[in-house]
Amino acid sequence: MHDPAGTAFNLAGFNSTGAVPVAVHCLYALGYQTYETRVMWHSLVGCFFFGAFSAKMLLLRAERLPGWLLPIAGGLTFAALTVIWLTSALWFFRTFGVTT
């Protein structure tokens, strides 16, 4: 039997990824912005990432799907996360350097 408290915990966004608090901060505190190409791509790919991540999580529970579908969803999720990192952390490190 599945633990209902665990389901509520995950639905509230307190999972191991910490993705929901980050998404809420990005969307509500900063919003969708297009003042720079890098920021526009970060916003668009960030939205795509959460869609791809949600689809991948739903595919994990689905039965009778082609065997190639889950690796494609995982690859798209990872590719989106890589672009998000390139348009945020890598940009920051190259612009301001690594501070101690």
Side-chain angles (χ1 to χ4, degrees), residues 17-61:
T17 64
V20 172
V22 171
V24 169
H25 171 73
C26 286
L27 290 174
Y28 291 112
L30 304 173
Y32 177 76
Q33 300 176 3
T34 59
Y35 63 89
E36 189 178 336
T37 305
R38 177 192 63 82
V39 176
M40 180 195 68
W41 279 109
H42 184 81
S43 297
L44 289 173
V45 176
C47 291
F48 175 80
F49 167 77
F50 282 104
F53 181 77
S54 299
K56 182 179 176 291
M57 293 298 110
L58 290 172
L59 288 173
L60 289 172
R61 303 287 249 161

